[in-house]
Amino acid sequence: MQQPPKNQSQSKNSEVTRDLASRIASAKREHDLKDGRASRDASSDMNSMARGMRIATEFIAAILVGTVIGYLIDLGLGTSPWGLLTLFMVGFAAGIRNVIRVVAELNAAALLPSKTDAEADKRTDS
């Protein structure tokens, strides 16, 4: 059996190595794109859950703060139940105001295109 000269075997090996490296790199790019899309979809679901929790927390916190302050006023002044009822209603109104404010902020943030969305659109267009 005759062996090819060293230069030929080295050039074939380097070509095979370059081809393999390029195929691995393209497979990694495709995998990363798929993972990016999947994580973006999952994060939007989690963002929705986080948004809902934030809105609920803002609403409940305002009601609780108003109620506690009203109860303390009633204890101090002996005006039971008027301080509690009045500040409960004020807390409820503040909670609704907070919910409206948070939803407006979230809607304004959702309308602005993010940098990653713009980059993803460029990749799919080209």
Side-chain angles (χ1 to χ4, degrees), residues 104-113:
E105 286 176 5
L106 293 175
N107 284 339
L111 292 177
L112 298 174

Side-chain angles (χ1 to χ4, degrees), residues 43-65:
S43 68
S44 72
D45 291 341
M46 290 305 292
N47 284 339
S48 298
M49 180 67 124
R51 288 176 184 160
M53 292 298 288
R54 179 178 175 194
I55 291 168
T57 303
E58 294 267 353
F59 185 66
I60 292 170
I63 292 173
L64 288 176
V65 167

Side-chain angles (χ1 to χ4, degrees), residues 35-118:
D35 281 350
R37 288 184 195 132
S39 68
R40 204 175 324 135
D41 293 342
S43 68
S44 72
D45 291 341
M46 290 305 292
N47 284 339
S48 298
M49 180 67 124
R51 288 176 184 160
M53 292 298 288
R54 179 178 175 194
I55 291 168
T57 303
E58 294 267 353
F59 185 66
I60 292 170
I63 292 173
L64 288 176
V65 167
T67 303
V68 168
I69 292 173
Y71 179 73
L72 293 175
I73 288 174
D74 280 343
L75 282 178
L77 299 178
T79 58
S80 185
W82 299 110
L84 177 89
L85 290 174
T86 303
L87 286 178
F88 174 80
M89 287 187 261
V90 169
F92 187 81
I96 290 175
R97 183 180 165 272
N98 285 344
V99 167
I100 291 170
R101 180 184 49 83
V102 168
V103 169
E105 286 176 5
L106 293 175
N107 284 339
L111 292 177
L112 298 174
S114 67
K115 186 177 180 180
T116 56
D117 291 341

Side-chain angles (χ1 to χ4, degrees), residues 21-35:
S22 68
R23 289 184 3 212
I24 289 172
S26 70
K28 281 184 180 181
R29 279 192 303 272
E30 289 176 16
H31 185 266
D32 289 343
L33 284 174
K34 288 178 184 176
D35 281 350

